[in-house]
Each structure stands twice: as structure tokens, then as C-alpha cells.
């Protein structure tokens, strides 16, 4: 799924709920805005098992230390991100079950791609035969992100472009696509 905005996370949550209620094994994470006093101060990672931690926060100063990972005004908390996401991705890759599991990855974007371990884990998950990945990638603008373009051009990937107009009607199409991938 190609994302234009945070509304895509709401769509992912609806898809996740529908799949969960059908009893399909599902794990993964989504990113959620953090707001204080009406303004966005960062993003959190929320796993489907209910764990939460910071992905990024607005930086209060403009000086950048060499070890800081930044996207615009946000400083990325790589340690927190990796602690939450990597064990889940490795677990999804190593479980053996009779039916295909679904792994939700919202999103594969600039902030997340500072993590080399995450890039590796996503590649492994995509090549694993027992997992269907439901992921979100950014709509291309500016410098292409290698992993995002690699995913976009894979033969076994179906990309849905989510817009304001189709975000409500596209839910059934995504569910149908996920179901067909599990067969």
C-alpha cells in the first residue's frame, strides 16, 4: 500500500481488525502520531500485541550530533524502534504453522530505513514463504529509497494507491488481495 498520509494507518487498522476477527494469525506494527496541545510532536510504534514506544520526536534544538538520525524536524529513536520491531519480525519469520501468517509493516519509510537490521528483517520476511506482508510505503517524492523501490518492483507485490477518494472503498480490495495471497 502506498501511503499519502496518516489516514493510511487508520485503513491498516481496519484491515487488521477484519483479519483478526476472521481468526487469521497476524502480527506486526503500525506508526501513530503523537500530539500534544493540538500539534504533532512525533510518532510512536505500536505493535499488534500492544507494545508501544517512540519512533521519533520533534527536536528542540537545531544542532545535530553525529549519531542522531533526523527526518526534517524529527529525531528518530532507533534503539526504541529496533527493540520493538526486530523481535516481532524475527518471530514472524521463524514460526512454523499450517497456515500463512500475516505481517503488518506500517511503514517502510525514511525514519524506519535508518535501521540496517530492519532493512534486513523486511527482506527476509518478504522472501519467507510462510508470511504474507501487508506493508505501507511512501508515494515517491524526492530521492528514491532503495528498499521501497525494490519492494515496489517485486513481481510478488501488489501496490494499492490510497487516496482521500478511495480510502473507504479500497478496504474490501485489500482484504481480498490478502486472502488470495494466503492460498
Amino acid at each position: 500500500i502506498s501511503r499519502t498520509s496518516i489516514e493510511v494507518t487508520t485503513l491498516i487498522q481496519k484491515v487488521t481488525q477484519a483479519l483478526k476477527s476472521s481468526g487469521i494469525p497476524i502480527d506486526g506494527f503500525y506508526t501513530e502520531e503523537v500530539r500534544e496541545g493540538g500539534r504533532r510532536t512525533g510518532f510512536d510504534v505500536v505493535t499488534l500485541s500492544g507494545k508501544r514506544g517512540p519512533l521519533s520526536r520533534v527536536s528542540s534544538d537545531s544542532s545535530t550530533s553525529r549519531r542522531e538520525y533526523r527526518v526534517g524536524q524529527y529525531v528518530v529513536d532507533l534503539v526504541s524502534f529496533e527493540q520493538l520491531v526486530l523481535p516481532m519480525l524475527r518471530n514472524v519469520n521463524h514460526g512454523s504453522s499450517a497456515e500463512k501468517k500475516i505481517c503488518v509493516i506500517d511503514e517502510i519509510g525514511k525514519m524506519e530505513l535508518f535501521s540496517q537490521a530492519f532493512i534486513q528483517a523486511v527482506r527476509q520476511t518478504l522472501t519467507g514463504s510462510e508470511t504474507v506482508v501487508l506493508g505501507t510505503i511512501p508515494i515517491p517524492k524526492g530521492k528514491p529509497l532503495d528498499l521501497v523501490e525494490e519492494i515496489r518492483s517485486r513481481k510478488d507485490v501488489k501496490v494499492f494507491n490510497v487516496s482521500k477518494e478511495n480510502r473507504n472503498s479500497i478496504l474490501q480490495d485489500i482484504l481480498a488481495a490478502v486472502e488470495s495471497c494466503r492460498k
Side-chain angles (χ1 to χ4, degrees):
I1 296 173
S2 201
R3 70 185 278 147
T4 47
S5 71
I6 208 73
E7 290 163 349
V8 176
T9 295
T10 309
L11 177 62
I12 287 289
Q13 289 167 329
K14 284 181 183 168
V15 173
T16 301
Q17 247 119 43
L19 293 166
K20 261 187 177 169
S21 64
S22 328
I24 293 167
I26 187 164
D27 208 346
F29 74 92
Y30 56 90
T31 50
E32 201 166 74
E33 276 187 334
V34 177
R35 300 186 81 86
E36 278 169 40
R39 62 183 273 271
R40 184 165 69 200
T41 56
F43 293 92
D44 276 357
V45 170
V46 184
T47 68
L48 297 189
S49 60
K51 295 190 179 113
R52 174 187 284 269
L55 168 62
S56 65
R57 290 295 181 267
V58 170
S59 170
S60 49
D61 61 39
S62 56
S63 68
T64 56
S65 75
R66 229 165 29 90
R67 291 179 50 244
E68 234 176 39
Y69 297 98
R70 296 177 77 104
V71 176
Q73 62 179 335
Y74 300 101
V75 174
V76 180
D77 187 336
L78 221 51
V79 173
S80 162
F81 173 66
E82 289 183 341
Q83 280 176 346
L84 278 167
V85 166
L86 295 178
M88 179 275 303
L89 283 175
R90 288 177 184 139
N91 184 37
V92 126
N93 288 329
H94 294 304
S96 59
S97 75
E99 53 180 342
K100 283 190 180 182
K101 264 195 242 170
I102 292 164
C103 181
V104 174
I105 306 177
D106 170 49
E107 85 178 294
I108 302 162
K110 232 178 205 164
M111 291 183 186
E112 295 81 2
L113 294 181
F114 282 122
S115 168
Q116 290 306 309
F118 174 70
I119 292 171
Q120 205 180 342
V122 168
R123 282 196 177 116
Q124 279 174 328
T125 307
L126 285 166
T127 50
S129 56
E130 58 286 325
T131 310
V132 175
V133 175
L134 173 61
T136 66
I137 54 176
I139 282 175
K141 58 175 186 270
K143 191 170 168 278
L145 302 167
D146 291 349
L147 182 63
V148 171
E149 294 317 308
E150 190 184 305
I151 291 167
R152 199 189 304 281
S153 59
R154 283 176 67 111
K155 297 265 185 288
D156 58 354
V157 164
K158 184 169 173 59
V159 176
F160 293 90
N161 282 302
V162 180
S163 66
K164 238 189 183 106
E165 294 71 43
N166 73 3
R167 69 169 187 252
N168 296 321
S169 58
I170 206 168
L171 177 67
Q172 291 309 321
D173 297 341
I174 295 167
L175 284 169
V178 170
E179 289 285 8
S180 74
C181 289
R182 293 184 68 246
K183 291 184 170 61

